[in-house]
Amino acid sequence: MDISKLTKAGRKALPLEKCGAVIVAAGSATRMGGIDKVMAELKGEPMIVRTVRAFQQCDAIREIVIVTREDLIRPISSLCAKMDKVKIVVAGGKSRQESVWLGLNSLSKDVKLAAIHDGARPLVSQAVIDRTVRAAHSYGAAAPAIPVKDTVKVVKSGLVMATPDRDTLRAVQTPQVFDFDLLRGALKKAEEEGASVTDDCSAVERMGMSVKIVEGDENNLKVTTPLDLKIAELLLEDET
């Protein structure tokens, strides 16, 4: 693939192609105080089921690969057995980058777009998934984001070094969606160069690729702590 064509301004919209989702749920949940967040219940069902269902029900997604810990492969496979878009549940790697790579390798060969999503974002809406996929069709890379509410400081050794303009800052969410070959190439290059990236957008940004930002959703929070889990439960109660 000619990466330069994707990075040129005014690139043509990509045709609607097959999009596969990689749901990454292989973390150790060290900040959850002993709670296994992947299997933590939200309104009577495991969090991972709610996450996967959002992609199952979204027409823009054609297949799903779930990446998780070795000990959760069978339980999650059983929980998602009736979701026909779930292709396979595979074991993750030692890092998120490695887990995403393993998930990409498990997608079908005819997949043209890959949507990477945190398994711990169970409240993602079909609307967010759909508009991110469609933006990636046109731009090659897209991610949902919301404005930053707090003032952010750049700090070094306990001292404020700079205060970025809050109007230019966004909190990026998932799913992050990419041209399949672009993301694979970006992750491979990051691995070869020993670069650790905090999200998948960072990997393609290193290659000079611009990422299209679309409107995210404040409810699309990532469950990282027990407090996040309680907030997610409250948000689900508001939906009823």
Side-chain angles (χ1 to χ4, degrees):
M1 182 187 65
D2 186 350
I3 300 295
S4 64
K5 290 182 179 179
L6 286 174
T7 59
K8 290 179 181 178
R11 51 188 163 268
K12 295 181 180 179
L14 295 171
L16 291 177
E17 296 281 4
K18 183 175 180 179
C19 182
V22 174
I23 297 178
V24 185
S28 58
T30 55
R31 287 179 283 179
M32 284 296 291
I35 300 172
D36 190 334
K37 66 179 179 181
V38 174
M39 303 298 283
E41 287 200 355
L42 283 174
K43 294 197 73 175
E45 62 182 353
M47 182 190 307
I48 189 65
V49 174
R50 288 188 171 273
T51 304
V52 176
R53 185 188 298 124
F55 288 81
Q56 167 72 25
Q57 295 178 344
C58 182
D59 291 339
I61 300 298
R62 301 282 294 282
E63 68 177 52
I64 301 166
V65 168
I66 304 169
V67 186
T68 190
R69 302 196 313 264
E70 188 78 41
D71 61 303
L72 290 179
I73 291 178
R74 285 191 177 182
I76 291 177
S77 296
S78 178
L79 287 168
C80 299
K82 294 184 178 180
M83 299 187 194
D84 63 340
K85 290 183 183 179
V86 177
K87 180 175 183 283
I88 193 172
V89 182
V90 300
K94 296 179 180 179
S95 66
R96 187 181 185 282
Q97 280 178 243
E98 187 177 349
S99 292
V100 171
W101 179 263
L102 293 169
L104 289 174
N105 289 343
S106 299
L107 290 171
S108 297
K109 299 300 183 183
D110 60 343
V111 164
K112 300 300 182 183
L113 291 173
I116 313 301
H117 186 68
D118 297 321
R121 290 186 187 269
L123 305 187
V124 63
S125 68
Q126 291 180 50
V128 168
I129 299 170
D130 184 80
R131 62 174 164 259
T132 310
V133 171
R134 293 185 182 280
H137 280 303
S138 298
Y139 292 89
I146 57 175
V148 173
K149 294 180 179 179
D150 297 326
T151 296
V152 176
K153 301 288 185 180
V154 178
V155 177
K156 185 177 181 180
S157 300
L159 298 174
V160 174
M161 307 301 292
T163 304
D165 181 359
R166 189 170 61 187
D167 290 340
T168 67
L169 300 177
R170 296 293 183 271
V172 180
Q173 304 175 331
T174 66
Q176 298 178 5
V177 188
F178 309 89
D179 176 275
F180 180 86
D181 291 334
L182 171 66
L183 180 57
R184 271 182 56 89
L187 290 175
K188 183 177 181 180
K189 186 174 179 62
E191 177 66 23
E192 291 173 347
E193 296 178 352
S196 178
V197 293
T198 57
D199 68 349
D200 304 294
C201 285
S202 300
V204 301
E205 288 164 19
R206 294 182 71 253
M207 298 182 69
M209 178 70 183
S210 296
V211 178
K212 176 65 175 177
I213 294 298
V214 301
E215 182 183 359
D217 185 345
E218 289 189 353
N219 285 4
N220 185 21
L221 81 166
K222 185 176 182 180
V223 176
T224 305
T225 67
L227 177 59
D228 296 330
L229 187 61
K230 291 180 180 179
I231 293 172
E233 290 172 343
L234 289 172
L235 290 171
L236 284 172
E237 288 180 5
D238 288 344
E239 291 180 358
T240 59

